[in-house]
Amino acid sequence: MTRGPDESGQPDREGPRDGPEDRLRRFARIWSRAIYPATATSMNRAEFEEYLIPLARTLSEALRARPFDPTPALAIGTALVTAHCTDPGALPRSLGVVDSYLVLYCSPDEKFPVEESRARCARLQHAIAAGFAQALRERTLAEQEAVSRAALSAQAEAEKALHASEALFRAVFEGAAVGIGIADMDGKIVDVNDALTQMFGGLEHHVRSRKVTDWAHPDDTPGVWNLQGELARGERDHYRVEKPYYRTNGTVLWTNLTVSLLRDPAGEPQYMLALMEDITERRLLNARLRYEATHDALTGLPNRTLFFERLRAALAARDGVARFGLCYLDLDGFKVVNDSLGHEVGDRLLVEVADRLQTCVTAPDQLIARIGGDEFVALIMDPETQEDVTDLAHRILDVLAEPVHLEGRDLSVRGSIGIVDGPAGELGPAEVLRSADITMYRAKAAGGNRYEHADPEAEVLAITRYGLTNSLPTALERGEFFIEYQPLVRLSDGTVHGAEALVRWCHPLRGVLGPDQFIPLAENTGLIVPLGRWVLSEAVRQARHWTFEGGHGPLRVNVNLSPFQLRHPGLVRDTVEVLKEAGLEPTALCLEVTESALIGADETLLKPLRQLADLGVDIALDDFGTGYSNLSNLRRMPLSTLKLDRSFTRGMQHDPADPVDIKIVEGVVSLAHTLDLAVTVEGVETGAQAEHLRTLGCDTAQGWYYARPGPPERLHALSLVDAS
Ligand code: C2E
Ligand code: CA
Ligand code: CA
């Protein structure tokens, strides 16, 4: 035998195991017990419970319906108003019962996920509240109509049936659920009905002893007293506003207020009639719903929605002087905590962080919000100086510095902050947030536990990089890369000795991009290996073409090697294969390796180069002079050429040349020749330079003075001219 819920409305534990109909009735009984005392219905308890059963059924069906639709619950709000369940408390109690018992007694089968039931239950509550508010409003309007009509007809009929209509007016006046007050044209209150007295806390003399103008409240909508003034002067016949009042006990009463002018038969203003509906609860409910929609359930901080609302307001240009400041915080290493210690610990850590962040803001124009998993923002409306924003970032890092004690261990929390600040009215909220996000990543990339200020140039770079990185992998397959060749000229006789292959990317949207714009990306993404292999085979094929079909004699080709290719195990095999396929001698190929790639190189790194050198491939040390290589180190490297960086020879562009530069180059050339290395000079831009370098004994030169990088055919033409 199961027991029903006891008198306090608590369900017993067996309840949910009964049949569906039993459970439905049980739910209706709990509901009825909860709200019956707060109704003004003429039904008795049993009748009222019967009344609730179909309502309970509607809710139960809505809870399990597919697809889900909360609209049937609107009618339940209406039904509650119809049954006069309009006392304060009736709606919150109903919502409370639905919240606590609906899922328990009416939930769909076990397969239905509980979270889904809970979410549906919340939406049903919102619909009930909305239906309730709507019905109450309609009823109040109807009552207000009736009162106005009675009052007006009482006047019009004054002479004929004064007593009868006055009696009618009194009946409506006393019985109305809306509050009614009548004041004379001086604002002195003449009469109030019971409902109004109740609304104000039940002391009639307190209400009566005051004048209309005494009822001002600090939260009055602007202009309400102008409206009242116009009405009092007979310039308008009515107005309608939402207005707050202080109750006798000091609490606040919110009303829907309609004030009408009653004129005497001659048309002169005689009385003011105020009709008020108590909307305090509805406002509280709205406030609660709004709070839930704008706050994060875990930490209680404002959420993304509220943050964007405030950011938008902060960014709206007001007289062009306002500024804004934003700190975008992302915790360092939060994922590790979550993955290793579990979500529960992760959640508690977030709550602790949220609490600490809250202590960083003090003024009402500052806001801390949680906008993602471990992402928080601090917003300052109109900071006086940039330091205000930087100070806030400091405070945030400071409060995070203290480890968080959880589960018997000290977790150290760190964060990276991106700061964006500036004048309002220039950027939109999305742009500001993106900029803050990119800046935050810069702080992270710099090691974390720090802040960075937004830097438009760095952002453009980051965005371009992102875009390029995305399209890089397919670019090779689509054949978007091509090679330009820049001739290498023998200084002794000015003939073309070979050419350096320089890769370019013909990007479908951005046009031709230079290697500096995408080689670092290719290195980061690993694409450098296939790309480098493609450049090698393409350049070797081209060298073969010049040599055998150009009618000029052998031309060599220089190909750049990235440090990543150098470490790739397939380098030697690939190179040998490419040469073989083209039928080209290894001596026709020169691989350029930068000085920086070889700094501190050990034997393992040098081995593939040594193997290639043994096969007859030339190895050039590129950009020589820009690194810090120890010249004596050069001896143990398998090199045949030094390429002097163009910074060395800049001082020789004009006559007279810089004597120090002359000395340095002289020294390098003699050392190189001692080590049996040829010297190539890069970046030769003037005839003067070329002449100096020739006298200094350099072997080859490359630069705009001879030719800019260009298509392979140009090189061919150039060497034919030389040859003639
Ligand atoms: P690098 O190897 O030092 O190439 C020489 C760069 O100097 C080229 O720039 C060339 O256009 C430029 N240059 C040539 N003559 C002059 C001159 O007289 N004056 C001035 N101011 N500049 C001159 P580019 O083509 O932009 O290449 C830049 C760098 O990209 C190259 O520097 C090289 O390190 C790298 N690179 C180019 N192609 C490849 C490739 O296929 N693979 C790899 N790994 N790197 C490449
Ligand atoms: Ca090079
Ligand atoms: Ca170079």
Side-chain angles (χ1 to χ4, degrees), residues 177-198:
V178 289
I180 307 174
I182 298 173
D184 66 19
M185 295 313 291
D186 294 329
K188 203 166 107 32
I189 292 163
V190 179
D191 205 355
V192 293
N193 73 348
D194 229 37
L196 189 137
T197 311
Q198 293 305 323

Side-chain angles (χ1 to χ4, degrees), residues 413-562:
V413 193
R414 294 284 154 90
S416 303
I417 299 178
I419 300 180
V420 186
D421 71 331
E426 288 182 359
L427 298 174
E431 286 170 293
V432 169
L433 206 66
R434 190 182 61 191
S435 162
D437 187 44
I438 291 173
T439 311
M440 181 276 291
Y441 271 105
R442 258 185 32 235
K444 231 178 236 288
N449 194 29
R450 71 180 65 219
Y451 60 78
E452 293 284 341
H453 283 278
D455 167 9
E457 275 175 31
E459 266 161 51
V460 169
L461 210 69
I463 292 165
T464 328
R465 270 202 196 138
Y466 178 72
L468 289 183
T469 309
N470 271 344
S471 43
L472 199 56
T474 45
L476 191 58
E477 294 158 26
R478 292 203 202 134
E480 287 170 9
F481 292 103
F482 68 98
I483 301 178
E484 285 190 323
Y485 296 88
Q486 187 177 33
L488 288 151
V489 176
R490 270 189 210 98
L491 280 169
S492 55
D493 58 4
T495 55
V496 174
H497 169 252
E500 178 174 1
L502 296 161
V503 66
R504 278 92 181 82
W505 178 6
C506 184
H507 190 281
L509 299 174
R510 291 169 198 272
V512 174
L513 302 173
D516 293 339
Q517 285 173 281
F518 61 85
I519 292 287
L521 301 180
E523 289 177 336
N524 286 341
T525 53
L527 193 83
I528 189 68
V529 172
L531 176 63
R533 201 182 295 137
W534 177 81
V535 173
L536 179 72
S537 69
E538 192 58 26
V540 164
R541 202 187 48 70
Q542 186 59 53
R544 193 207 120 87
H545 183 82
W546 284 325
T547 304
F548 294 109
E549 279 143 78
H552 165 79
L555 275 182
R556 297 156 35 99
V557 72
N558 284 29
V559 174
N560 292 284
L561 268 197
S562 151

Side-chain angles (χ1 to χ4, degrees), residues 257-374:
L257 171 74
T258 309
V259 184
S260 311
L261 195 59
L262 301 180
R263 294 173 188 271
D264 67 13
E268 284 302 307
Q270 197 177 14
Y271 293 110
M272 296 182 282
L273 173 73
L275 304 175
M276 47 181 82
E277 172 200 1
D278 184 347
I279 55 166
T280 316
E281 239 178 72
R282 204 190 305 162
R283 280 184 69 100
L284 285 177
L285 188 73
N286 278 343
R288 194 186 95 194
L289 295 182
R290 182 173 152 74
Y291 184 88
E292 281 169 10
T294 52
H295 287 75
D296 167 37
L298 177 67
T299 62
L301 288 181
N303 65 10
R304 205 178 170 84
T305 309
L306 185 54
F307 163 68
F308 265 100
E309 245 171 52
R310 299 288 281 280
L311 180 61
R312 215 168 282 130
L315 293 180
R318 284 153 303 178
D319 47 52
V321 291
R323 299 180 62 83
F324 77 96
L326 180 79
C327 298
Y328 186 110
L329 166 75
D330 187 286
L331 299 185
D332 299 336
F334 177 73
K335 204 177 132 35
V336 178
V337 172
N338 231 9
D339 291 350
S340 58
L341 302 179
H343 285 276
E344 213 169 292
V345 176
D347 280 358
R348 278 160 57 200
L349 185 66
L350 290 174
V351 171
E352 173 65 22
V353 167
D355 288 350
R356 292 188 185 184
L357 292 179
Q358 197 87 74
T359 65
C360 297
V361 298
T362 37
D365 59 353
Q366 304 182 349
L367 174 90
I368 295 275
R370 177 175 177 226
I371 60 169
D374 62 343

Side-chain angles (χ1 to χ4, degrees), residues 562-580:
S562 151
F564 289 81
Q565 289 171 274
L566 209 57
R567 291 202 177 79
H568 195 267
L571 176 67
V572 178
R573 193 192 55 219
D574 283 356
T575 311
V576 170
E577 223 172 81
V578 162
L579 285 169
K580 216 178 242 161

